[in-house]
Amino acid sequence: MSAHQYDHGHTLAGWVGTGIASVGAAVAGAGVCFVSGVLIVGGLGFGVVALLVTWALHLAGWGKGPGIRPREEWGWRVRDSGARAGHDECLGCRLAGRRRTAGSGRVDEVAAGVVVRGDVSVGVGVGGEPEAAVVVADSGR
């Protein structure tokens, strides 16, 4: 069993990107120590490669967007089934042209299993149409 109660976004895309960026930081640091512009630029190049590889893996489903996920999707080796539609509030998905409207798709499915303590109300939006309720899950700590 996991030591923490929530998924902290540990993904294959995150681990690979962090590994490549760490190598780039080491190369750039060596460039500073040896006063070598070639190594500094090479290290910065590794940083750009890390960014692009992480983004590509995220779009391929090996990264996860922000939000609550079911426990079976917490593993870092689990592909995200909702990646093709895009993630809510995800800059990488927006830059790739994958936009999803707020409150659609997987978020609703996950929210159905969340226990909510306290008052939940639905407001009235512009034009008298019902507005979606804002639900905050209690961590139970």
Side-chain angles (χ1 to χ4, degrees), residues 52-127:
L52 295 175
V53 167
T54 304
W55 186 32
L57 286 171
H58 174 78
L59 294 176
W62 291 109
K64 298 171 186 156
I68 299 172
R69 283 175 286 285
R71 186 174 285 276
E72 58 270 4
E73 292 186 16
W74 283 14
W76 66 277
R77 292 173 282 193
V78 177
R79 283 187 86 163
D80 184 11
S81 59
R84 289 198 183 264
H87 299 107
D88 295 334
E89 301 179 17
C90 177
L91 177 63
C93 290
R94 283 186 292 186
L95 289 173
R98 297 179 181 179
R99 292 179 183 246
R100 185 179 357 175
T101 59
S104 67
R106 244 179 78 224
V107 175
D108 293 336
E109 296 168 14
V110 173
V114 174
V115 176
V116 178
R117 296 184 181 110
D119 295 332
V120 177
S121 61
V122 177
V124 178
V126 179

Side-chain angles (χ1 to χ4, degrees), residues 25-37:
V27 170
V32 169
C33 291
F34 296 125
V35 191
S36 171

